[in-house]
Structure formats: structure tokens, C-alpha cells
Amino acid sequence: MTVAGARERRVRAGDVELCVAELGDPAHPTVVLVHGYPDSKEVWSEVAARLSGRFHVVLYDVRGHGGSTAPSPLRGGFTLERLTDDFLAVADAVSPGRPVHLVGHDWGSVQGWEFATVVRTRGRIASFTSMSGPSLDHFGHWINSRVRRPTPRRAAQLLGQSAKSWYVYALHTPVLPELAWRGPLGRRWPHILRRREKVGGDGYPTASLPSDAALGAWLYRDNVRARLGSPRPDAFAHVPVQLITPLDDAFLSEHLYDGLEQWAARLTRRTLDAKHWIPRTRPDQVAYWITEFVESVEGDRVLPVRSGPHAQRFGGQLVLVTGAGSGIGRATALAFAKAGARVVAVDRDAETAAETAVLAREAGAAEAWAETADVSDERAMEQLAAKVDAEYGTPDVLVNNAGIGLSGSFLTTSTEDWRRVVDVNLFGVIHGCRLFGARMAERGQGGHIVNIASAAAFQPSRALSAYATSKAAVLMLSECLRAELAGRGIGVTAVCPGIVNTGITGTARFTGVDAVEERRLRMSAARWYGVRNYPAEKVASAVLDAVVRDRAVVPVTPEARGARLMSRWMPGASRRLARVEPRL
Ligand code: NAP
């Protein structure tokens, strides 16, 4: 198997011959992708395809893997020094006059740290992107500092990582790993990857896997004990480094990278809600971050510093918010923008959507666009989804926020009123989930859907039958969809705010009263919401938090939390409260 569309050649490096594949125009900046264990260069095929339009992309099989030959003897043939020789041979062959941008995953990243920190590669590397593979020197110092100065927290981190490293001990035993990989483990590996990591299909892993894994055991045997035992004291990166950390990595704790700034002065951190094999499971996001980082280094630009606790997570992600022209929707769009996301602000009002897009760019959005659509209009939503798909991509996060208020007794609520509120508050969410959720699922790279329900979803009220019914339906829809999409790595959250000071009172419909009284009630409600004065920004921050933590239901504001508790533990009291007529 090879990488589709790639030009292959062989490069001699000392005692081995390396299989090197190239895509894209050699005149463009060169990005060298180094694979991990047990893998071959094909692990990068999805990322390479996405990068090849802008860069000269180079992949090679590490010695002993894929189409590259193995050293003889094996012992001592896989040291980091030999691997550095290989990298320099490839870099000299593919980009003789110009430093390359290095990207490594797993053992490719472990090697990458060596290349980026030793003196003899100076001037040959322009930047380094590291994924799921620490420097053995940094790791050695990390262990030493925890053994010498233990605290309960640091001891727990050490134990946690030791447990995750069980396979490293196993690979140090003689012969058994080879027998396992060339036998049953090698046969089952594709199945294990598919089940545990949701990785697979399209010819990956390749047929060389059993042999790659058996020979690659020497990567561990030749380096791990030696380096962890006496880590280099001067393993400082001489290039800008981008660290991409999947937060659900079965093999590496995110704490391994605590304090990495002391080794890499120019460090950009990214996090992903994903497991270990991100080049396969998150190629869009990985390719986006590599592109952004490489272009910033090439252009001698410092990447914009994004503030807030969510910047590492949402930088570059595509986030679509409906009802983004005001209130909670605008605040949410701006919170994602501040974290560096690419934001699509959708509203039925073109002008307010455009304002939000401008504000989002000012707040730090990587990019921001305004789109006009009425969420209750199925055709308009279909057109929106098709346009977003074609022009901006598949959203990583969808926030179905657009909604309208409606207050009044059931007996004074007309069928028309019901239709309107259900069309916007429920069908708007259904259209969003159906159209964008289907695209997220089809893309197969995870995502998150947030539906803005309300505290009215838990708390019945004699004055809110239509509104509360629509929001309770949104809550149940979110729970059902969460169950359905869990297996596809797509989270679903229902956010249930209480009383939030937005413009919703100005447009809410009050039934059973004439126009004059309706105006008075709106003004009175607006005053009341103003006195309560709970800011939309706090709901926005709860939305980002809910995505990061993959929460199912998030009541926001004390009254929303109270209503939820009461509905669970004191349903009688909740029903009595429902009978109280609100006085405006
Ligand atoms: P808001 O300030 O009125 O914002 C809602 C935005 O959605 C407005 O820009 C509105 O545009 C837009 N919108 C309304 N219908 C739409 C449609 N059919 N298609 C596209 N856009 C539409 O209200 P908010 O308080 O931020 O409300 C946001 C969400 O939070 C709603 O789902 C609401 O039910 C929910 N919520 C609000 C509160 C609260 O106390 N504020 C409490 C619980 C839940 P127009 O300006 O043109 O109407």
C-alpha cells in the first residue's frame, strides 16, 4: 500500500534504505510527517491529502517499517542517533536548501523531539508539531522531579502514567512481542484499532503491520531505559514547537507536558477531545493546526495569543451558532471567537448577524462569517447547511440557540401561536441537529451539538404551556440524540438557562391580551429581567464548558438549578409552584 497520489523514491541513510513519499509542489514549504509505533507512513494519508494543496508534503517509513529496510543487527540499529541520521538524509534529499517543518505522531514525535533539540539539526528544521509523543529526555526529568520531590498530586501523576505505560514494559521482554505481533495480535490489531480508537477502513493499517510492530519493538529497547535513566540536561528545542494533546489518550497523560515551556520557549499548545490516533480520527483539525502553525512560522508571524481557558481547545474549530444576532447567541459566538474558533453567526436578521461576525473577528475569531436563515424554515436550513458545507466545512460545534418567547394560558394560546413557537423552538433545533448532525456523523471526526432549552423544560407553569412544552421537547430530543450519537464521538448537550437579561422579552408574544396590554407586559418583563440582570456571557461560558466536559444537561442560573432539583426531588412542590400566576 502507498499513499494515494504520492511520488515514491528511495533514500539511502547509512545501513538502511528509506521509502520516501512526496505530494504537492516541491517549490512550496516542505512538511515532513513522521509516523509512530506500530505504524507506517500511511497513518498520515488523510492529513497529507489535506496539506498537499499548500505544502510539499513528505512522508517516510521509519527504518524497519513499511517499505524501508531494517538495520542489521537489529539491536543498536534503532537508537535516536541513527533515527536522526535518517531524518537528515530525508531532509537533505527532499529539501536540500531549505529547512523543513517537522510533524511527528507517537514515536514519530518522540524522534521529532530528538531532532528538534540536538545541535546537528540546527538550520534544517523550521518548526516542530508534536502529537502524542514526549521527548524521552523531558520524560526522564519529569519522572526524576516526581520521585525526588513527591507531593500527593505529583505521586498520583507518576502512578497514573506508569499504569498507562504497561505496554512499554511488555515490549522490553525478549521474543514474546515479536511472537505476539507476527501471530494473533497482528491479526487482531485492525479490529482493536476499530473498536477502541474508532480508527480503520480504507486499507489502514497496512499489510506490513505485523512486521512493522515486531521490528519496531527495538525503538523501545534501544532508547527508553537508556534515556529515561540519564536524560540529557540540555534538551532545549531550537525551533518553535506546536504541541497537540488528545485529552483521551490511553497511553499518555496530559500532565506529561506540564512545564514544557522550560524546554520549548516558543510553544503553542492545542488540545483535542480525542483518543491517541488523531492523524486518522481528526485529520481536518490536525491539518488545520499544522497549516496555521507552518504558515505563521513561514510568514515570521507570531500566532495570535488567544485568551481564556478554552483557547487551546477551540482554536481553529468551526462553530455555528443560530440566533447569533443578539442575547445568548451573540455572547456564545463571541466566547468561541475569543477562544480563536472560526465562527458562523446565523440569524434571521441579516444585519445583526453581520454585526456579530464583525464583533467576532475583533474578539479574535480565526475567521467569522454571517449567514441569514430562519431556523423554522426547513428549505432555508437545507440551503444553509449546503452552503456551510461547501464554503466553510463541517461544523465541529453546533449551537442551536435561536428561540422565541411566548407567555399566556393554554386556553388563550391559539393553534397559530403553538405552531409558531414549536416551529422555531423545536423544529429549528430539529432542522439544525438533522442537517448538521448528519454531516458531523458522516465526516466521522466527532463534534458537539448544544441545544439551548430552558429552565422551563423542568419547571411547569400555568403561564408557559407552549414555551415550556417546546423546551421540554428540546431537552428530551437532546438526551435521545446524545444516546444515538455517543458511538460516533459526537456529544450532545441541553443547556437550560433560567432568567437571563436579553432582548427576548422585547419580542416575546403574550396571549389573551390586547396589543396595548401586550406592550405593557413586554416592558414590565424587560424591567424584571433587567433587575435580575443575569448576563448572557455567563450562559455562553457555560456552553463552552459544557462542550469541553461533554455534559448532558446544564442548568444555568441558580433558579434553573433549583428548578431541576425540585423537579427531581420535590415534584409536588414543583407542581404547586406551577399554579402560581406570574405578576408582571
Ligand atoms: P434574544 O435576545 O431574543 O435572541 C434570540 C435571537 O434569535 C435573536 O437574534 C432572534 O432574532 C433570533 N431568532 C429568533 N427566531 C429566529 C428564527 N426563527 N430563525 C433565526 N433566528 C431567530 O433571546 P435570548 O434570550 O438570547 O434567547 C436565546 C435562546 O435562549 C432561546 O432559545 C431562548 O428560548 C433561550 N432562553 C432564554 C432565556 C432568557 O431568559 N433570556 C431563558 C431560557 C432560555 P430577532 O431579534 O429577529 O428575533
Side-chain angles (χ1 to χ4, degrees), residues 424-449:
V424 177
N425 290 6
L426 178 57
F427 270 98
V429 175
I430 292 173
H431 298 324
C433 289
R434 196 174 61 76
L435 294 161
F436 292 105
R439 283 169 166 84
M440 276 183 195
E442 192 187 332
R443 181 178 64 153
Q445 297 184 41
H448 204 103
I449 298 175

Side-chain angles (χ1 to χ4, degrees), residues 560-583:
R561 282 191 287 276
R564 185 162 191 233
L565 284 176
M566 209 156 55
S567 70
R568 272 191 179 176
W569 305 110
M570 294 186 286
S574 180
R575 285 183 196 116
R576 276 196 294 283
L577 190 62
R579 294 183 186 191
V580 175
E581 189 159 8
R583 287 177 180 222

Side-chain angles (χ1 to χ4, degrees), residues 129-460:
T129 294
S130 157
M131 294 169 226
S132 292
S135 150
L136 292 182
D137 299 298
H138 303 164
F139 193 6
H141 290 295
W142 186 89
I143 294 171
N144 290 345
S145 72
R146 275 151 187 81
V147 171
R148 288 192 195 126
R149 293 185 300 280
T151 61
R153 206 173 126 259
R154 288 154 70 91
Q157 289 175 358
L158 193 56
L159 286 174
Q161 181 54 49
S162 303
K164 284 181 176 234
S165 297
W166 61 269
Y167 67 98
V168 179
Y169 319 126
L171 283 166
H172 278 82
T173 55
V175 187
L176 286 179
E178 280 85 344
L179 287 177
W181 279 116
R182 292 191 191 275
L185 184 56
R187 281 195 298 279
R188 282 197 56 78
W189 189 246
H191 173 73
I192 294 171
L193 273 187
R194 225 175 3 258
R195 204 161 51 88
R196 296 268 171 105
E197 296 273 336
K198 307 279 182 271
V199 168
D202 58 15
Y204 174 84
T206 62
S208 64
L209 182 268
S211 154
D212 299 341
L215 293 172
W218 288 99
L219 290 167
Y220 292 85
R221 294 167 182 161
D222 273 353
N223 297 293
V224 173
R225 267 193 302 190
R227 274 303 168 91
L228 294 189
S230 58
R232 287 184 298 141
D234 58 349
F236 299 105
H238 50 69
V239 293
V241 176
Q242 169 170 240
L243 176 75
I244 303 179
T245 310
L247 297 175
D248 197 13
D249 195 319
F251 310 108
L252 296 161
S253 153
E254 59 187 285
H255 295 297
L256 273 182
Y257 306 106
D258 289 355
L260 188 62
E261 283 75 4
Q262 67 173 304
W263 300 110
R266 289 166 287 169
L267 180 67
T268 301
R269 287 177 181 265
R270 311 287 196 186
T271 60
L272 256 183
D273 175 25
K275 293 175 187 265
H276 183 76
W277 261 273
I278 53 176
R280 301 301 303 179
T281 58
R282 298 287 189 274
D284 283 350
Q285 186 65 69
V286 165
Y288 181 89
W289 279 333
I290 294 171
T291 303
E292 191 187 39
F293 187 60
V294 168
E295 287 188 341
S296 76
V297 173
E298 283 287 317
D300 209 10
R301 279 182 290 112
V302 178
L303 276 179
V305 180
R306 271 102 190 207
S307 58
H310 301 306
Q312 290 175 19
R313 170 65 196 279
F314 294 115
Q317 292 218 328
L318 185 64
V319 177
L320 186 143
V321 183
T322 66
S326 80
I328 294 168
R330 175 172 282 180
T332 302
L334 297 186
F336 278 112
K338 208 170 159 201
R342 296 178 296 137
V343 174
V344 186
V346 179
D347 203 283
R348 63 180 170 191
D349 184 333
E351 217 170 287
T352 58
E355 276 169 22
T356 301
V358 171
L359 292 171
R361 265 177 239 121
E362 286 170 8
E367 288 168 287
W369 306 274
E371 293 296 339
T372 315
D374 179 339
V375 295
S376 66
D377 180 341
E378 187 175 1
R379 266 187 59 78
M381 288 296 279
E382 277 169 0
Q383 282 165 2
L384 172 74
K387 182 174 181 199
V388 168
D389 204 32
E391 295 185 12
Y392 318 131
T394 305
D396 299 292
V397 180
L398 164 70
V399 184
N400 286 308
N401 161 78
I404 52 173
L406 184 133
S407 178
S409 72
F410 174 78
L411 294 180
T412 60
T413 303
S414 67
T415 320
E416 199 37 52
D417 288 328
W418 269 98
R419 242 180 230 125
R420 187 70 200 131
V421 85
V422 169
D423 273 353
V424 177
N425 290 6
L426 178 57
F427 270 98
V429 175
I430 292 173
H431 298 324
C433 289
R434 196 174 61 76
L435 294 161
F436 292 105
R439 283 169 166 84
M440 276 183 195
E442 192 187 332
R443 181 178 64 153
Q445 297 184 41
H448 204 103
I449 298 175
V450 178
N451 295 327
I452 306 294
S454 164
F458 330 117
Q459 175 58 56

